[in-house]
PDB file of all heavy atoms in Angstrom:
ATOM      1  N   ARG A1384     119.229  81.912  79.592  1.00  0.00           N
ATOM      2  CA  ARG A1384     119.586  82.810  80.707  1.00  0.00           C
ATOM      3  C   ARG A1384     118.334  83.339  81.389  1.00  0.00           C
ATOM      4  O   ARG A1384     118.291  83.445  82.670  1.00  0.00           O
ATOM      5  CB  ARG A1384     120.398  83.999  80.218  1.00  0.00           C
ATOM      6  CG  ARG A1384     121.859  83.666  80.071  1.00  0.00           C
ATOM      7  CD  ARG A1384     122.673  84.901  79.824  1.00  0.00           C
ATOM      8  NE  ARG A1384     122.392  85.350  78.480  1.00  0.00           N
ATOM      9  CZ  ARG A1384     122.654  86.533  77.972  1.00  0.00           C
ATOM     10  NH1 ARG A1384     123.196  87.467  78.733  1.00  0.00           N
ATOM     11  NH2 ARG A1384     122.393  86.856  76.748  1.00  0.00           N
ATOM     12  N   ARG A1385     117.314  83.625  80.635  1.00  0.00           N
ATOM     13  CA  ARG A1385     116.042  84.112  81.208  1.00  0.00           C
ATOM     14  C   ARG A1385     115.438  83.037  82.136  1.00  0.00           C
ATOM     15  O   ARG A1385     115.072  83.306  83.245  1.00  0.00           O
ATOM     16  CB  ARG A1385     115.063  84.437  80.100  1.00  0.00           C
ATOM     17  CG  ARG A1385     113.682  84.772  80.587  1.00  0.00           C
ATOM     18  CD  ARG A1385     112.729  84.899  79.417  1.00  0.00           C
ATOM     19  NE  ARG A1385     111.418  85.329  79.801  1.00  0.00           N
ATOM     20  CZ  ARG A1385     110.330  85.260  79.079  1.00  0.00           C
ATOM     21  NH1 ARG A1385     110.409  84.771  77.861  1.00  0.00           N
ATOM     22  NH2 ARG A1385     109.188  85.669  79.502  1.00  0.00           N
ATOM     23  N   ARG A1386     115.374  81.799  81.625  1.00  0.00           N
ATOM     24  CA  ARG A1386     114.788  80.730  82.411  1.00  0.00           C
ATOM     25  C   ARG A1386     115.600  80.463  83.716  1.00  0.00           C
ATOM     26  O   ARG A1386     115.074  80.303  84.787  1.00  0.00           O
ATOM     27  CB  ARG A1386     114.650  79.445  81.588  1.00  0.00           C
ATOM     28  CG  ARG A1386     113.580  79.560  80.526  1.00  0.00           C
ATOM     29  CD  ARG A1386     113.359  78.198  79.794  1.00  0.00           C
ATOM     30  NE  ARG A1386     114.480  77.759  78.993  1.00  0.00           N
ATOM     31  CZ  ARG A1386     114.763  78.176  77.752  1.00  0.00           C
ATOM     32  NH1 ARG A1386     113.957  79.067  77.195  1.00  0.00           N
ATOM     33  NH2 ARG A1386     115.800  77.719  77.129  1.00  0.00           N
ATOM     34  N   LEU A1387     116.925  80.461  83.532  1.00  0.00           N
ATOM     35  CA  LEU A1387     117.802  80.237  84.681  1.00  0.00           C
ATOM     36  C   LEU A1387     117.650  81.370  85.696  1.00  0.00           C
ATOM     37  O   LEU A1387     117.607  81.134  86.905  1.00  0.00           O
ATOM     38  CB  LEU A1387     119.264  80.080  84.226  1.00  0.00           C
ATOM     39  CG  LEU A1387     120.270  79.751  85.335  1.00  0.00           C
ATOM     40  CD1 LEU A1387     119.901  78.447  86.019  1.00  0.00           C
ATOM     41  CD2 LEU A1387     121.670  79.674  84.773  1.00  0.00           C
ATOM     42  N   ALA A1388     117.536  82.597  85.232  1.00  0.00           N
ATOM     43  CA  ALA A1388     117.402  83.740  86.125  1.00  0.00           C
ATOM     44  C   ALA A1388     116.074  83.651  86.882  1.00  0.00           C
ATOM     45  O   ALA A1388     116.001  83.963  88.082  1.00  0.00           O
ATOM     46  CB  ALA A1388     117.494  85.035  85.359  1.00  0.00           C
ATOM     47  N   ILE A1389     115.022  83.181  86.205  1.00  0.00           N
ATOM     48  CA  ILE A1389     113.724  83.028  86.867  1.00  0.00           C
ATOM     49  C   ILE A1389     113.848  81.936  87.935  1.00  0.00           C
ATOM     50  O   ILE A1389     113.373  82.135  89.073  1.00  0.00           O
ATOM     51  CB  ILE A1389     112.632  82.678  85.843  1.00  0.00           C
ATOM     52  CG1 ILE A1389     112.309  83.901  84.959  1.00  0.00           C
ATOM     53  CG2 ILE A1389     111.365  82.186  86.533  1.00  0.00           C
ATOM     54  CD1 ILE A1389     111.411  83.598  83.772  1.00  0.00           C
ATOM     55  N   VAL A1390     114.457  80.820  87.588  1.00  0.00           N
ATOM     56  CA  VAL A1390     114.601  79.724  88.567  1.00  0.00           C
ATOM     57  C   VAL A1390     115.427  80.139  89.747  1.00  0.00           C
ATOM     58  O   VAL A1390     115.063  79.935  90.921  1.00  0.00           O
ATOM     59  CB  VAL A1390     115.189  78.451  87.910  1.00  0.00           C
ATOM     60  CG1 VAL A1390     115.611  77.432  88.918  1.00  0.00           C
ATOM     61  CG2 VAL A1390     114.209  77.878  86.890  1.00  0.00           C
ATOM     62  N   LEU A1391     116.547  80.777  89.492  1.00  0.00           N
ATOM     63  CA  LEU A1391     117.428  81.194  90.601  1.00  0.00           C
ATOM     64  C   LEU A1391     116.813  82.271  91.486  1.00  0.00           C
ATOM     65  O   LEU A1391     116.916  82.206  92.717  1.00  0.00           O
ATOM     66  CB  LEU A1391     118.804  81.651  90.080  1.00  0.00           C
ATOM     67  CG  LEU A1391     119.636  80.559  89.390  1.00  0.00           C
ATOM     68  CD1 LEU A1391     120.890  81.164  88.804  1.00  0.00           C
ATOM     69  CD2 LEU A1391     119.948  79.459  90.345  1.00  0.00           C
ATOM     70  N   SER A1392     116.113  83.209  90.879  1.00  0.00           N
ATOM     71  CA  SER A1392     115.415  84.225  91.657  1.00  0.00           C
ATOM     72  C   SER A1392     114.284  83.581  92.469  1.00  0.00           C
ATOM     73  O   SER A1392     114.067  83.974  93.629  1.00  0.00           O
ATOM     74  CB  SER A1392     114.840  85.319  90.737  1.00  0.00           C
ATOM     75  OG  SER A1392     115.866  85.983  90.077  1.00  0.00           O
ATOM     76  N   GLY A1393     113.616  82.580  91.897  1.00  0.00           N
ATOM     77  CA  GLY A1393     112.580  81.854  92.644  1.00  0.00           C
ATOM     78  C   GLY A1393     113.160  81.096  93.820  1.00  0.00           C
ATOM     79  O   GLY A1393     112.561  81.098  94.907  1.00  0.00           O
ATOM     80  N   ILE A1394     114.326  80.478  93.642  1.00  0.00           N
ATOM     81  CA  ILE A1394     114.939  79.738  94.720  1.00  0.00           C
ATOM     82  C   ILE A1394     115.305  80.703  95.838  1.00  0.00           C
ATOM     83  O   ILE A1394     115.074  80.398  97.029  1.00  0.00           O
ATOM     84  CB  ILE A1394     116.170  78.950  94.207  1.00  0.00           C
ATOM     85  CG1 ILE A1394     115.753  77.780  93.349  1.00  0.00           C
ATOM     86  CG2 ILE A1394     117.038  78.493  95.360  1.00  0.00           C
ATOM     87  CD1 ILE A1394     116.876  77.102  92.614  1.00  0.00           C
ATOM     88  N   ILE A1395     115.850  81.834  95.487  1.00  0.00           N
ATOM     89  CA  ILE A1395     116.207  82.835  96.508  1.00  0.00           C
ATOM     90  C   ILE A1395     114.947  83.298  97.269  1.00  0.00           C
ATOM     91  O   ILE A1395     114.969  83.347  98.491  1.00  0.00           O
ATOM     92  CB  ILE A1395     116.949  84.031  95.877  1.00  0.00           C
ATOM     93  CG1 ILE A1395     118.351  83.600  95.423  1.00  0.00           C
ATOM     94  CG2 ILE A1395     117.016  85.213  96.829  1.00  0.00           C
ATOM     95  CD1 ILE A1395     119.070  84.591  94.606  1.00  0.00           C
ATOM     96  N   ALA A1396     113.918  83.600  96.504  1.00  0.00           N
ATOM     97  CA  ALA A1396     112.685  84.085  97.121  1.00  0.00           C
ATOM     98  C   ALA A1396     112.099  83.020  98.085  1.00  0.00           C
ATOM     99  O   ALA A1396     111.742  83.311  99.222  1.00  0.00           O
ATOM    100  CB  ALA A1396     111.642  84.483  96.067  1.00  0.00           C
ATOM    101  N   ILE A1397     112.068  81.806  97.603  1.00  0.00           N
ATOM    102  CA  ILE A1397     111.471  80.718  98.414  1.00  0.00           C
ATOM    103  C   ILE A1397     112.322  80.451  99.698  1.00  0.00           C
ATOM    104  O   ILE A1397     111.810  80.330 100.772  1.00  0.00           O
ATOM    105  CB  ILE A1397     111.382  79.403  97.590  1.00  0.00           C
ATOM    106  CG1 ILE A1397     110.236  79.588  96.542  1.00  0.00           C
ATOM    107  CG2 ILE A1397     111.082  78.197  98.467  1.00  0.00           C
ATOM    108  CD1 ILE A1397     110.227  78.491  95.466  1.00  0.00           C
ATOM    109  N   ALA A1398     113.648  80.427  99.510  1.00  0.00           N
ATOM    110  CA  ALA A1398     114.508  80.211 100.658  1.00  0.00           C
ATOM    111  C   ALA A1398     114.357  81.283 101.712  1.00  0.00           C
ATOM    112  O   ALA A1398     114.290  81.008 102.928  1.00  0.00           O
ATOM    113  CB  ALA A1398     116.002  80.101 100.216  1.00  0.00           C
ATOM    114  N   PHE A1399     114.284  82.512 101.289  1.00  0.00           N
ATOM    115  CA  PHE A1399     114.124  83.626 102.237  1.00  0.00           C
ATOM    116  C   PHE A1399     112.722  83.661 102.845  1.00  0.00           C
ATOM    117  O   PHE A1399     112.570  84.000 103.992  1.00  0.00           O
ATOM    118  CB  PHE A1399     114.487  84.970 101.558  1.00  0.00           C
ATOM    119  CG  PHE A1399     115.957  85.229 101.516  1.00  0.00           C
ATOM    120  CD1 PHE A1399     116.860  84.393 100.875  1.00  0.00           C
ATOM    121  CD2 PHE A1399     116.481  86.329 102.158  1.00  0.00           C
ATOM    122  CE1 PHE A1399     118.202  84.605 100.821  1.00  0.00           C
ATOM    123  CE2 PHE A1399     117.857  86.582 102.117  1.00  0.00           C
ATOM    124  CZ  PHE A1399     118.713  85.735 101.490  1.00  0.00           C
ATOM    125  N   VAL A1400     111.706  83.291 102.052  1.00  0.00           N
ATOM    126  CA  VAL A1400     110.344  83.223 102.636  1.00  0.00           C
ATOM    127  C   VAL A1400     110.298  82.131 103.677  1.00  0.00           C
ATOM    128  O   VAL A1400     109.691  82.298 104.761  1.00  0.00           O
ATOM    129  CB  VAL A1400     109.287  82.985 101.478  1.00  0.00           C
ATOM    130  CG1 VAL A1400     107.971  82.529 102.062  1.00  0.00           C
ATOM    131  CG2 VAL A1400     109.134  84.250 100.661  1.00  0.00           C
ATOM    132  N   VAL A1401     110.918  80.949 103.394  1.00  0.00           N
ATOM    133  CA  VAL A1401     110.938  79.871 104.406  1.00  0.00           C
ATOM    134  C   VAL A1401     111.658  80.300 105.666  1.00  0.00           C
ATOM    135  O   VAL A1401     111.236  79.965 106.751  1.00  0.00           O
ATOM    136  CB  VAL A1401     111.555  78.598 103.738  1.00  0.00           C
ATOM    137  CG1 VAL A1401     111.847  77.552 104.798  1.00  0.00           C
ATOM    138  CG2 VAL A1401     110.673  78.046 102.669  1.00  0.00           C
ATOM    139  N   GLY A1402     112.734  81.035 105.516  1.00  0.00           N
ATOM    140  CA  GLY A1402     113.519  81.448 106.661  1.00  0.00           C
ATOM    141  C   GLY A1402     112.945  82.645 107.432  1.00  0.00           C
ATOM    142  O   GLY A1402     113.327  82.926 108.569  1.00  0.00           O
ATOM    143  N   LEU A1403     112.026  83.375 106.788  1.00  0.00           N
ATOM    144  CA  LEU A1403     111.488  84.603 107.395  1.00  0.00           C
ATOM    145  C   LEU A1403     110.755  84.396 108.700  1.00  0.00           C
ATOM    146  O   LEU A1403     111.067  85.101 109.692  1.00  0.00           O
ATOM    147  CB  LEU A1403     110.582  85.344 106.385  1.00  0.00           C
ATOM    148  CG  LEU A1403     110.117  86.690 106.771  1.00  0.00           C
ATOM    149  CD1 LEU A1403     111.281  87.661 107.005  1.00  0.00           C
ATOM    150  CD2 LEU A1403     109.199  87.278 105.723  1.00  0.00           C
ATOM    151  N   PRO A1404     109.826  83.428 108.824  1.00  0.00           N
ATOM    152  CA  PRO A1404     109.116  83.278 110.100  1.00  0.00           C
ATOM    153  C   PRO A1404     110.048  82.947 111.267  1.00  0.00           C
ATOM    154  O   PRO A1404     109.928  83.513 112.356  1.00  0.00           O
ATOM    155  CB  PRO A1404     108.125  82.132 109.848  1.00  0.00           C
ATOM    156  CG  PRO A1404     107.959  82.109 108.399  1.00  0.00           C
ATOM    157  CD  PRO A1404     109.256  82.532 107.789  1.00  0.00           C
ATOM    158  N   GLY A1405     110.980  82.061 111.046  1.00  0.00           N
ATOM    159  CA  GLY A1405     111.922  81.700 112.080  1.00  0.00           C
ATOM    160  C   GLY A1405     112.839  82.862 112.468  1.00  0.00           C
ATOM    161  O   GLY A1405     113.131  83.058 113.633  1.00  0.00           O
ATOM    162  N   THR A1406     113.224  83.632 111.462  1.00  0.00           N
ATOM    163  CA  THR A1406     114.065  84.807 111.746  1.00  0.00           C
ATOM    164  C   THR A1406     113.293  85.847 112.550  1.00  0.00           C
ATOM    165  O   THR A1406     113.820  86.353 113.575  1.00  0.00           O
ATOM    166  CB  THR A1406     114.557  85.426 110.409  1.00  0.00           C
ATOM    167  OG1 THR A1406     115.321  84.444 109.722  1.00  0.00           O
ATOM    168  CG2 THR A1406     115.351  86.659 110.631  1.00  0.00           C
ATOM    169  N   ILE A1407     112.076  86.100 112.139  1.00  0.00           N
ATOM    170  CA  ILE A1407     111.271  87.108 112.872  1.00  0.00           C
ATOM    171  C   ILE A1407     110.982  86.611 114.305  1.00  0.00           C
ATOM    172  O   ILE A1407     111.099  87.388 115.272  1.00  0.00           O
ATOM    173  CB  ILE A1407     109.951  87.396 112.136  1.00  0.00           C
ATOM    174  CG1 ILE A1407     110.285  88.178 110.866  1.00  0.00           C
ATOM    175  CG2 ILE A1407     108.965  88.151 113.011  1.00  0.00           C
ATOM    176  CD1 ILE A1407     109.088  88.404 109.951  1.00  0.00           C
TER     177      ILE A1407
END
Side-chain angles (χ1 to χ4, degrees):
R1384 277 190 289 162
R1385 173 190 186 193
R1386 290 187 293 278
L1387 184 58
I1389 290 170
V1390 168
L1391 294 176
S1392 296
I1394 289 170
I1395 289 170
I1397 290 168
F1399 278 60
V1400 164
V1401 168
L1403 188 61
T1406 299
I1407 290 174

